[in-house]
Amino acid sequence: RCLLPPFLGLFQGALLLFFALFVTYDEPSAQAEDANLVANQVYSTFPFFQDIQVMLVVGLGLLLTFLPRYGLSALTHNFLLLNFSMQWALVLQGLIHHFHHGQVHLDLHKLLISEFAAVTVLISVGAILGRTSPCQLLVMASCEVPVYLASEWVIVNCLGVLDVGGTITIHVFSCYFGLGVSKALFWVGQKPLHPKETPTPRSDLVSLVGMLILWVFWPSFVAVLCQPGNAQHRAILNTLLAMSASAVTTVVTSSLLERDGKLSPGHLQNGSLAGGVAIGAVADMAMPPVAALALGSLSAMACVLGFRFLTPLLGRKLGLHDQCGIHNLHGLPGVLGAAASAVAVLVASKDTSGSHFSQQALCQAEGLAVAIGVSLVAGLFTGAALRLPCLARPPERLCFDDSLYFKFQGQDESLGPDSTTEEGVLALKE
Protein backbone atom coordinates (compact mmCIF):
# COMPACT_ATOMS: atom_id res chain seq x y z
CA ARG A 1 0.00 0.00 0.00
CA CYS A 2 2.86 2.38 0.82
CA LEU A 3 5.06 1.43 -2.14
CA LEU A 4 3.14 -0.04 -5.07
CA PRO A 5 0.53 2.72 -5.75
CA PRO A 6 3.06 5.60 -5.54
CA PHE A 7 5.53 3.71 -7.74
CA LEU A 8 3.00 2.97 -10.47
CA GLY A 9 1.31 6.36 -10.13
CA LEU A 10 4.57 8.27 -10.55
CA PHE A 11 5.56 6.08 -13.48
CA GLN A 12 2.25 6.62 -15.29
CA GLY A 13 2.34 10.34 -14.56
CA ALA A 14 5.88 10.65 -15.94
CA LEU A 15 4.84 8.70 -19.01
CA LEU A 16 1.87 11.00 -19.60
CA LEU A 17 4.22 13.99 -19.46
CA PHE A 18 6.69 12.33 -21.84
CA PHE A 19 3.97 11.51 -24.37
CA ALA A 20 2.50 15.00 -24.12
CA LEU A 21 5.85 16.63 -24.86
CA PHE A 22 7.58 14.30 -27.29
CA VAL A 23 5.37 11.59 -28.82
CA THR A 24 3.30 12.11 -31.95
CA TYR A 25 2.03 10.25 -35.01
CA ASP A 26 3.33 10.61 -38.54
CA GLU A 27 1.79 13.31 -40.67
CA PRO A 28 -1.06 11.95 -42.84
CA SER A 29 0.19 11.55 -46.39
CA ALA A 30 -1.70 13.08 -49.30
CA GLN A 31 -0.11 10.71 -51.82
CA ALA A 32 -2.13 7.63 -52.66
CA GLU A 33 0.93 5.35 -52.79
CA ASP A 34 2.06 6.28 -49.29
CA ALA A 35 -1.47 5.87 -47.94
CA ASN A 36 -1.72 2.43 -49.55
CA LEU A 37 1.66 1.46 -48.12
CA VAL A 38 0.58 2.38 -44.60
CA ALA A 39 -2.72 0.54 -45.05
CA ASN A 40 -0.93 -2.59 -46.26
CA GLN A 41 1.41 -2.49 -43.27
CA VAL A 42 -1.52 -2.23 -40.89
CA TYR A 43 -3.49 -5.01 -42.55
CA SER A 44 -0.44 -7.31 -42.72
CA THR A 45 0.97 -6.62 -39.23
CA PHE A 46 -2.00 -6.02 -36.96
CA PRO A 47 -3.47 -9.57 -37.21
CA PHE A 48 -0.08 -10.94 -36.10
CA PHE A 49 0.01 -8.33 -33.34
CA GLN A 50 -3.41 -9.42 -32.08
CA ASP A 51 -2.29 -13.04 -32.02
CA ILE A 52 0.74 -12.09 -29.92
CA GLN A 53 -1.48 -10.16 -27.52
CA VAL A 54 -3.65 -13.24 -27.02
CA MET A 55 -0.52 -15.33 -26.45
CA LEU A 56 0.88 -13.04 -23.77
CA VAL A 57 -2.27 -11.95 -21.95
CA VAL A 58 -4.30 -15.17 -22.06
CA GLY A 59 -1.98 -18.02 -23.04
CA LEU A 60 1.05 -17.18 -20.93
CA GLY A 61 -1.13 -15.92 -18.09
CA LEU A 62 -3.00 -19.22 -17.88
CA LEU A 63 0.21 -21.22 -18.29
CA LEU A 64 1.46 -19.66 -15.04
CA THR A 65 -1.60 -20.74 -13.05
CA PHE A 66 -0.23 -24.22 -12.26
CA LEU A 67 0.26 -23.04 -8.66
CA PRO A 68 -3.17 -23.79 -7.16
CA ARG A 69 -3.40 -20.84 -4.75
CA TYR A 70 -1.46 -18.30 -6.80
CA GLY A 71 -3.46 -18.32 -10.05
CA LEU A 72 -5.12 -14.92 -9.60
CA SER A 73 -1.80 -13.32 -8.71
CA ALA A 74 0.00 -14.99 -11.63
CA LEU A 75 -2.58 -13.75 -14.14
CA THR A 76 -2.73 -10.23 -12.72
CA HIS A 77 1.01 -9.76 -12.28
CA ASN A 78 1.60 -11.07 -15.80
CA PHE A 79 -0.89 -8.54 -17.17
CA LEU A 80 0.57 -5.69 -15.10
CA LEU A 81 4.15 -6.47 -16.11
CA LEU A 82 3.20 -6.66 -19.78
CA ASN A 83 1.74 -3.16 -19.77
CA PHE A 84 4.43 -1.66 -17.54
CA SER A 85 7.31 -3.15 -19.54
CA MET A 86 5.80 -2.25 -22.90
CA GLN A 87 5.37 1.42 -21.92
CA TRP A 88 8.86 1.55 -20.39
CA ALA A 89 10.35 0.03 -23.57
CA LEU A 90 8.46 2.55 -25.71
CA VAL A 91 10.07 5.41 -23.79
CA LEU A 92 13.56 3.94 -23.92
CA GLN A 93 13.62 2.98 -27.58
CA GLY A 94 12.01 6.31 -28.48
CA LEU A 95 14.76 8.25 -26.71
CA ILE A 96 17.61 6.07 -27.99
CA HIS A 97 16.65 5.15 -31.55
CA HIS A 98 13.75 7.32 -32.75
CA PHE A 99 14.22 10.77 -31.22
CA HIS A 100 14.44 13.18 -34.18
CA HIS A 101 13.91 16.96 -34.09
CA GLY A 102 12.51 16.75 -30.56
CA GLN A 103 9.78 14.24 -31.47
CA VAL A 104 9.20 10.48 -31.37
CA HIS A 105 6.92 9.27 -34.17
CA LEU A 106 4.85 6.35 -32.93
CA ASP A 107 3.80 3.49 -35.21
CA LEU A 108 2.72 -0.15 -34.94
CA HIS A 109 6.23 -1.50 -35.55
CA LYS A 110 7.66 0.40 -32.56
CA LEU A 111 4.83 -0.89 -30.40
CA LEU A 112 5.60 -4.43 -31.56
CA ILE A 113 9.29 -4.12 -30.65
CA SER A 114 8.25 -2.82 -27.22
CA GLU A 115 6.00 -5.85 -26.84
CA PHE A 116 8.98 -8.12 -27.51
CA ALA A 117 10.92 -6.32 -24.78
CA ALA A 118 8.03 -7.04 -22.40
CA VAL A 119 8.14 -10.74 -23.38
CA THR A 120 11.64 -11.05 -21.91
CA VAL A 121 10.35 -9.81 -18.56
CA LEU A 122 7.37 -12.18 -18.55
CA ILE A 123 9.65 -15.15 -19.25
CA SER A 124 12.29 -14.19 -16.67
CA VAL A 125 9.68 -13.78 -13.93
CA GLY A 126 8.92 -17.50 -14.25
CA ALA A 127 12.12 -18.33 -12.34
CA ILE A 128 10.98 -16.48 -9.19
CA LEU A 129 7.20 -16.76 -9.54
CA GLY A 130 5.31 -16.85 -6.24
CA ARG A 131 8.18 -15.88 -3.93
CA THR A 132 8.39 -12.18 -4.87
CA SER A 133 6.21 -9.12 -4.38
CA PRO A 134 4.79 -6.97 -7.20
CA CYS A 135 7.24 -4.20 -6.22
CA GLN A 136 10.16 -6.55 -6.73
CA LEU A 137 8.79 -7.64 -10.11
CA LEU A 138 8.39 -4.04 -11.28
CA VAL A 139 11.95 -3.18 -10.25
CA MET A 140 13.13 -6.28 -12.08
CA ALA A 141 11.27 -5.15 -15.22
CA SER A 142 12.75 -1.65 -14.91
CA CYS A 143 16.25 -3.14 -14.93
CA GLU A 144 15.72 -5.86 -17.55
CA VAL A 145 14.14 -3.83 -20.35
CA PRO A 146 17.09 -1.44 -20.94
CA VAL A 147 19.57 -4.33 -20.76
CA TYR A 148 17.51 -6.29 -23.29
CA LEU A 149 17.29 -3.35 -25.70
CA ALA A 150 21.05 -2.85 -25.50
CA SER A 151 21.91 -6.53 -25.96
CA GLU A 152 19.42 -6.94 -28.80
CA TRP A 153 20.97 -3.96 -30.61
CA VAL A 154 24.49 -5.40 -30.18
CA ILE A 155 23.49 -8.92 -31.25
CA VAL A 156 21.44 -7.93 -34.30
CA ASN A 157 23.03 -4.67 -35.49
CA CYS A 158 26.67 -5.05 -34.47
CA LEU A 159 27.17 -8.81 -34.79
CA GLY A 160 24.61 -9.31 -37.56
CA VAL A 161 23.03 -12.39 -35.98
CA LEU A 162 20.11 -13.95 -37.86
CA ASP A 163 17.33 -14.49 -35.34
CA VAL A 164 13.95 -13.57 -36.78
CA GLY A 165 11.96 -15.44 -34.11
CA GLY A 166 13.90 -14.24 -31.07
CA THR A 167 15.44 -17.58 -30.09
CA ILE A 168 18.70 -15.93 -28.99
CA THR A 169 17.69 -12.34 -28.34
CA ILE A 170 14.48 -13.12 -26.43
CA HIS A 171 14.34 -16.70 -25.15
CA VAL A 172 18.00 -17.29 -24.27
CA PHE A 173 18.45 -13.79 -22.87
CA SER A 174 15.32 -13.86 -20.70
CA CYS A 175 16.05 -17.37 -19.41
CA TYR A 176 19.53 -16.65 -18.11
CA PHE A 177 18.55 -13.21 -16.84
CA GLY A 178 15.82 -14.85 -14.76
CA LEU A 179 18.17 -17.55 -13.50
CA GLY A 180 20.72 -14.87 -12.54
CA VAL A 181 18.06 -12.97 -10.60
CA SER A 182 16.96 -16.17 -8.87
CA LYS A 183 20.49 -17.15 -7.85
CA ALA A 184 21.27 -13.72 -6.40
CA LEU A 185 17.88 -13.35 -4.71
CA PHE A 186 17.81 -16.82 -3.14
CA TRP A 187 21.54 -17.09 -2.51
CA VAL A 188 21.16 -19.35 0.53
CA GLY A 189 20.68 -22.40 -1.69
CA GLN A 190 17.89 -24.73 -2.74
CA LYS A 191 14.51 -23.88 -1.27
CA PRO A 192 12.56 -26.69 0.38
CA LEU A 193 9.27 -27.60 -1.26
CA HIS A 194 6.60 -25.17 -0.10
CA PRO A 195 3.27 -26.73 1.03
CA LYS A 196 1.36 -24.46 -1.42
CA GLU A 197 3.71 -25.18 -4.32
CA THR A 198 2.32 -28.54 -5.47
CA PRO A 199 -0.03 -28.31 -8.49
CA THR A 200 -3.50 -29.85 -8.36
CA PRO A 201 -5.37 -31.50 -11.25
CA ARG A 202 -7.54 -28.40 -11.59
CA SER A 203 -4.60 -25.95 -11.72
CA ASP A 204 -2.76 -28.22 -14.16
CA LEU A 205 -5.82 -28.27 -16.40
CA VAL A 206 -6.01 -24.46 -16.53
CA SER A 207 -2.28 -24.28 -17.23
CA LEU A 208 -2.69 -26.83 -20.02
CA VAL A 209 -5.34 -24.61 -21.63
CA GLY A 210 -2.81 -21.78 -21.56
CA MET A 211 -0.30 -24.01 -23.34
CA LEU A 212 -2.85 -24.83 -26.05
CA ILE A 213 -3.49 -21.13 -26.69
CA LEU A 214 0.24 -20.45 -26.94
CA TRP A 215 0.66 -23.44 -29.25
CA VAL A 216 -2.03 -22.22 -31.65
CA PHE A 217 -0.76 -18.64 -31.95
CA TRP A 218 3.00 -19.25 -31.79
CA PRO A 219 3.57 -19.08 -35.60
CA SER A 220 2.45 -15.43 -35.52
CA PHE A 221 5.10 -14.63 -32.91
CA VAL A 222 7.86 -16.15 -35.05
CA ALA A 223 6.73 -14.82 -38.44
CA VAL A 224 5.62 -11.26 -37.61
CA LEU A 225 9.03 -9.66 -38.29
CA CYS A 226 9.81 -11.74 -41.39
CA GLN A 227 9.82 -10.16 -44.83
CA PRO A 228 6.31 -10.59 -46.31
CA GLY A 229 6.26 -13.22 -49.00
CA ASN A 230 8.36 -16.38 -49.20
CA ALA A 231 10.31 -15.78 -45.98
CA GLN A 232 7.17 -15.26 -43.91
CA HIS A 233 5.48 -18.23 -45.56
CA ARG A 234 8.48 -20.46 -44.76
CA ALA A 235 8.57 -19.24 -41.17
CA ILE A 236 4.92 -20.13 -40.58
CA LEU A 237 5.30 -23.59 -42.11
CA ASN A 238 8.53 -24.39 -40.28
CA THR A 239 7.06 -23.26 -36.95
CA LEU A 240 3.95 -25.38 -37.39
CA LEU A 241 6.05 -28.43 -38.28
CA ALA A 242 8.44 -27.93 -35.35
CA MET A 243 5.67 -27.47 -32.82
CA SER A 244 3.70 -30.44 -34.12
CA ALA A 245 6.79 -32.63 -33.78
CA SER A 246 7.51 -31.29 -30.29
CA ALA A 247 3.95 -32.08 -29.16
CA VAL A 248 4.16 -35.69 -30.29
CA THR A 249 7.71 -36.17 -28.98
CA THR A 250 6.71 -34.74 -25.59
CA VAL A 251 4.04 -37.41 -25.18
CA VAL A 252 6.48 -40.16 -26.19
CA THR A 253 9.31 -38.98 -23.94
CA SER A 254 7.11 -38.26 -20.92
CA SER A 255 5.45 -41.66 -21.16
CA LEU A 256 8.77 -43.50 -21.47
CA LEU A 257 10.18 -41.76 -18.39
CA GLU A 258 7.37 -43.11 -16.19
CA ARG A 259 7.31 -46.78 -15.24
CA ASP A 260 3.54 -47.00 -15.64
CA GLY A 261 3.55 -44.98 -18.89
CA LYS A 262 1.49 -42.10 -17.49
CA LEU A 263 1.98 -38.53 -18.72
CA SER A 264 3.24 -35.63 -16.63
CA PRO A 265 1.14 -32.44 -17.01
CA GLY A 266 4.26 -30.34 -16.47
CA HIS A 267 5.98 -32.05 -19.39
CA LEU A 268 2.99 -31.43 -21.67
CA GLN A 269 2.68 -27.79 -20.62
CA ASN A 270 6.29 -27.03 -21.53
CA GLY A 271 7.65 -29.63 -23.93
CA SER A 272 4.89 -29.01 -26.46
CA LEU A 273 6.12 -25.41 -26.84
CA ALA A 274 9.84 -26.18 -27.03
CA GLY A 275 9.78 -26.53 -30.82
CA GLY A 276 8.50 -22.97 -31.18
CA VAL A 277 11.39 -21.66 -29.06
CA ALA A 278 14.08 -23.51 -31.03
CA ILE A 279 12.77 -22.83 -34.54
CA GLY A 280 12.87 -19.04 -34.22
CA ALA A 281 16.52 -18.70 -35.25
CA VAL A 282 16.10 -20.72 -38.46
CA ALA A 283 12.40 -20.27 -39.26
CA ASP A 284 12.87 -18.19 -42.41
CA MET A 285 15.98 -19.97 -43.70
CA ALA A 286 15.90 -22.15 -46.80
CA MET A 287 16.02 -25.62 -45.23
CA PRO A 288 14.14 -28.88 -45.88
CA PRO A 289 10.91 -29.47 -43.93
CA VAL A 290 12.43 -32.52 -42.24
CA ALA A 291 14.90 -30.20 -40.47
CA ALA A 292 12.03 -28.37 -38.77
CA LEU A 293 10.51 -31.67 -37.65
CA ALA A 294 13.86 -32.90 -36.32
CA LEU A 295 14.53 -29.65 -34.45
CA GLY A 296 11.08 -29.75 -32.87
CA SER A 297 11.59 -33.33 -31.69
CA LEU A 298 15.07 -32.68 -30.29
CA SER A 299 13.98 -29.56 -28.43
CA ALA A 300 11.02 -31.38 -26.84
CA MET A 301 13.29 -34.21 -25.71
CA ALA A 302 15.76 -31.71 -24.24
CA CYS A 303 12.94 -29.92 -22.40
CA VAL A 304 11.39 -33.06 -20.88
CA LEU A 305 14.76 -34.57 -19.93
CA GLY A 306 15.71 -31.23 -18.41
CA PHE A 307 12.66 -31.29 -16.14
CA ARG A 308 13.35 -34.89 -15.13
CA PHE A 309 17.11 -34.80 -14.56
CA LEU A 310 18.74 -31.36 -14.99
CA THR A 311 16.47 -29.22 -12.80
CA PRO A 312 16.91 -31.43 -9.68
CA LEU A 313 20.66 -31.59 -10.35
CA LEU A 314 21.02 -27.79 -10.61
CA GLY A 315 18.96 -27.42 -7.44
CA ARG A 316 21.20 -29.79 -5.49
CA LYS A 317 24.59 -28.73 -6.84
CA LEU A 318 24.11 -24.99 -7.44
CA GLY A 319 21.13 -24.20 -5.23
CA LEU A 320 19.38 -22.80 -8.31
CA HIS A 321 15.68 -22.05 -7.91
CA ASP A 322 13.66 -22.20 -11.15
CA GLN A 323 9.96 -22.17 -10.29
CA CYS A 324 8.51 -22.54 -13.80
CA GLY A 325 11.40 -24.43 -15.37
CA ILE A 326 12.30 -21.62 -17.77
CA HIS A 327 15.73 -23.19 -18.30
CA ASN A 328 14.06 -26.28 -19.75
CA LEU A 329 11.55 -24.45 -21.95
CA HIS A 330 13.55 -21.40 -23.04
CA GLY A 331 17.21 -22.04 -22.21
CA LEU A 332 17.89 -25.54 -23.54
CA PRO A 333 15.74 -25.24 -26.71
CA GLY A 334 17.14 -21.73 -27.24
CA VAL A 335 20.73 -22.96 -27.19
CA LEU A 336 19.71 -25.86 -29.44
CA GLY A 337 18.06 -23.44 -31.89
CA ALA A 338 21.16 -21.21 -31.92
CA ALA A 339 23.34 -24.22 -32.71
CA ALA A 340 20.92 -25.25 -35.45
CA SER A 341 21.15 -21.79 -37.00
CA ALA A 342 24.96 -22.06 -37.17
CA VAL A 343 24.68 -25.51 -38.75
CA ALA A 344 22.11 -24.27 -41.26
CA VAL A 345 24.41 -21.43 -42.29
CA LEU A 346 27.37 -23.81 -42.67
CA VAL A 347 25.30 -26.15 -44.83
CA ALA A 348 24.32 -23.18 -46.99
CA SER A 349 28.01 -22.28 -47.38
CA LYS A 350 28.76 -25.74 -48.80
CA ASP A 351 25.98 -25.30 -51.33
CA THR A 352 27.21 -21.89 -52.51
CA SER A 353 30.98 -22.20 -51.87
CA GLY A 354 31.13 -18.82 -50.14
CA SER A 355 33.19 -17.73 -47.13
CA HIS A 356 30.50 -15.26 -46.02
CA PHE A 357 28.35 -18.07 -44.64
CA SER A 358 31.17 -19.47 -42.51
CA GLN A 359 31.65 -16.03 -40.99
CA GLN A 360 27.90 -15.83 -40.35
CA ALA A 361 28.00 -19.14 -38.47
CA LEU A 362 30.65 -17.68 -36.19
CA CYS A 363 28.44 -14.62 -35.66
CA GLN A 364 25.59 -16.90 -34.55
CA ALA A 365 27.84 -18.44 -31.88
CA GLU A 366 29.07 -15.01 -30.77
CA GLY A 367 25.50 -13.77 -30.45
CA LEU A 368 24.62 -16.74 -28.23
CA ALA A 369 27.65 -16.07 -26.00
CA VAL A 370 26.76 -12.38 -25.69
CA ALA A 371 23.13 -13.16 -24.82
CA ILE A 372 24.10 -15.64 -22.09
CA GLY A 373 26.94 -13.57 -20.64
CA VAL A 374 25.17 -10.21 -20.55
CA SER A 375 21.92 -11.63 -19.21
CA LEU A 376 23.59 -13.64 -16.43
CA VAL A 377 25.68 -10.72 -15.17
CA ALA A 378 22.78 -8.27 -15.37
CA GLY A 379 20.48 -10.79 -13.68
CA LEU A 380 22.87 -11.29 -10.77
CA PHE A 381 23.10 -7.54 -10.16
CA THR A 382 19.31 -7.17 -10.44
CA GLY A 383 18.71 -10.04 -8.04
CA ALA A 384 21.05 -8.46 -5.52
CA ALA A 385 19.07 -5.20 -5.79
CA LEU A 386 15.80 -7.08 -5.20
CA ARG A 387 17.07 -8.16 -1.78
CA LEU A 388 16.59 -4.63 -0.46
CA PRO A 389 14.14 -4.74 2.50
CA CYS A 390 12.15 -1.76 1.19
CA LEU A 391 10.84 -3.84 -1.75
CA ALA A 392 8.43 -5.78 0.50
CA ARG A 393 9.51 -9.33 -0.19
CA PRO A 394 6.77 -11.66 1.11
CA PRO A 395 7.53 -13.87 4.12
CA GLU A 396 8.14 -17.51 3.26
CA ARG A 397 4.95 -18.85 4.84
CA LEU A 398 2.78 -16.44 2.79
CA CYS A 399 4.40 -17.22 -0.57
CA PHE A 400 2.28 -18.75 -3.34
CA ASP A 401 -0.90 -17.31 -1.83
CA ASP A 402 -3.37 -14.96 -3.52
CA SER A 403 -4.73 -13.76 -0.18
CA LEU A 404 -1.56 -11.73 0.37
CA TYR A 405 -2.44 -9.47 -2.59
CA PHE A 406 -6.20 -9.79 -3.09
CA LYS A 407 -9.20 -9.20 -0.88
CA PHE A 408 -11.74 -12.03 -0.86
CA GLN A 409 -15.21 -11.59 0.54
CA GLY A 410 -15.73 -13.26 3.90
CA GLN A 411 -12.02 -13.76 4.50
CA ASP A 412 -9.52 -11.91 6.68
CA GLU A 413 -7.29 -9.84 4.41
CA SER A 414 -4.10 -10.64 6.27
CA LEU A 415 -4.50 -14.40 6.45
CA GLY A 416 -4.39 -17.22 3.97
CA PRO A 417 -7.47 -19.42 3.54
CA ASP A 418 -6.07 -22.09 5.85
CA SER A 419 -4.00 -19.92 8.18
CA THR A 420 -4.71 -19.60 11.88
CA THR A 421 -4.68 -16.24 13.67
CA GLU A 422 -1.37 -17.07 15.35
CA GLU A 423 0.25 -18.00 12.01
CA GLY A 424 -1.01 -14.79 10.44
CA VAL A 425 0.39 -12.62 13.22
CA LEU A 426 3.77 -14.34 13.03
CA ALA A 427 3.86 -13.98 9.25
CA LEU A 428 3.05 -10.27 9.39
CA LYS A 429 5.74 -9.72 12.04
CA GLU A 430 8.22 -11.52 9.84
Side-chain angles (χ1 to χ4, degrees), residues 47-65 71 73-87 89 111-125 129 148 165 170-171 174 207 209-222 224 273 277 329-330:
F48 288 110
F49 184 81
Q50 284 181 304
D51 292 349
I52 295 171
Q53 289 282 83
V54 174
M55 285 179 64
L56 301 180
V57 176
V58 185
L60 183 57
L62 292 178
L63 184 68
L64 299 177
T65 60
S73 299
L75 271 170
T76 306
H77 295 164
N78 179 76
F79 186 54
L80 173 63
L81 286 171
L82 172 63
N83 287 280
F84 176 86
S85 304
M86 183 185 66
Q87 294 183 49
L111 199 64
L112 184 62
I113 299 301
S114 300
E115 195 102 327
F116 283 164
V119 172
T120 63
V121 177
L122 303 185
I123 294 173
S124 299
V125 164
L129 185 73
Y148 162 76
I170 295 177
H171 295 285
S174 57
S207 182
V209 172
M211 180 277 291
L212 295 175
I213 294 172
L214 287 168
W215 194 95
V216 169
F217 291 108
W218 203 287
S220 296
F221 181 85
V222 174
V224 64
L273 303 174
V277 173
L329 175 54
H330 302 277

Side-chain angles (χ1 to χ4, degrees), residues 322-376:
D322 185 5
Q323 187 64 48
C324 295
I326 61 172
H327 187 238
N328 305 315
L329 175 54
H330 302 277
L332 297 179
V335 172
L336 186 62
S341 69
V343 172
V345 171
L346 288 174
V347 170
S349 70
K350 294 179 181 179
D351 295 339
T352 59
S353 301
S355 61
H356 167 73
F357 292 95
S358 300
Q359 184 66 29
Q360 183 61 49
L362 182 61
C363 290
Q364 298 296 114
E366 291 174 347
L368 177 64
V370 169
I372 294 176
V374 170
S375 59
L376 266 177

Side-chain angles (χ1 to χ4, degrees), residues 214-243:
L214 287 168
W215 194 95
V216 169
F217 291 108
W218 203 287
S220 296
F221 181 85
V222 174
V224 64
L225 292 181
C226 293
Q227 289 295 326
N230 289 333
Q232 199 168 63
H233 187 217
R234 265 198 312 271
I236 293 173
L237 294 177
N238 285 332
T239 305
L240 286 171
L241 290 174
M243 299 198 69

Side-chain angles (χ1 to χ4, degrees), residues 159-423:
L159 298 179
V161 172
L162 302 176
D163 186 23
V164 70
T167 296
I168 300 171
T169 55
I170 295 177
H171 295 285
V172 171
F173 174 89
S174 57
C175 167
Y176 290 99
F177 187 95
L179 294 181
V181 170
S182 176
K183 182 58 184 175
L185 184 58
F186 309 121
W187 61 273
V188 292
Q190 187 180 15
K191 290 280 187 182
L193 187 67
H194 197 281
K196 304 172 189 174
E197 199 174 347
T198 305
T200 63
R202 187 184 188 116
S203 65
D204 271 332
L205 177 61
V206 177
S207 182
L208 194 62
V209 172
M211 180 277 291
L212 295 175
I213 294 172
L214 287 168
W215 194 95
V216 169
F217 291 108
W218 203 287
S220 296
F221 181 85
V222 174
V224 64
L225 292 181
C226 293
Q227 289 295 326
N230 289 333
Q232 199 168 63
H233 187 217
R234 265 198 312 271
I236 293 173
L237 294 177
N238 285 332
T239 305
L240 286 171
L241 290 174
M243 299 198 69
S244 181
S246 66
V248 174
T249 306
T250 297
V251 174
V252 174
T253 309
S254 180
S255 180
L256 290 176
L257 287 176
E258 300 293 336
R259 292 182 180 179
D260 53 5
K262 294 181 179 180
L263 301 177
S264 167
H267 294 166
L268 289 176
Q269 293 155 8
N270 294 273
S272 303
L273 303 174
V277 173
I279 199 65
V282 295
D284 62 336
M285 295 184 181
M287 62 180 189
V290 67
L293 287 170
L295 186 58
S297 295
L298 288 174
S299 59
M301 289 176 60
C303 179
V304 174
L305 292 174
F307 270 103
R308 183 62 183 269
F309 301 108
L310 187 58
T311 296
L313 180 65
L314 293 177
R316 289 194 306 269
K317 300 297 183 182
L318 301 179
L320 190 61
H321 177 80
D322 185 5
Q323 187 64 48
C324 295
I326 61 172
H327 187 238
N328 305 315
L329 175 54
H330 302 277
L332 297 179
V335 172
L336 186 62
S341 69
V343 172
V345 171
L346 288 174
V347 170
S349 70
K350 294 179 181 179
D351 295 339
T352 59
S353 301
S355 61
H356 167 73
F357 292 95
S358 300
Q359 184 66 29
Q360 183 61 49
L362 182 61
C363 290
Q364 298 296 114
E366 291 174 347
L368 177 64
V370 169
I372 294 176
V374 170
S375 59
L376 266 177
V377 173
L380 288 170
F381 279 105
T382 303
L386 297 187
R387 295 180 59 83
L388 293 172
C390 62
L391 294 181
R393 180 177 166 185
E396 182 65 21
R397 70 186 67 196
L398 292 183
C399 289
F400 308 109
D401 201 328
D402 287 329
S403 62
L404 188 60
Y405 306 108
F406 291 90
K407 181 178 180 180
F408 299 105
Q409 189 172 2
Q411 186 182 107
D412 194 332
E413 298 176 30
S414 63
L415 305 179
D418 300 323
S419 299
T420 64
T421 304
E422 184 180 357
E423 289 175 343

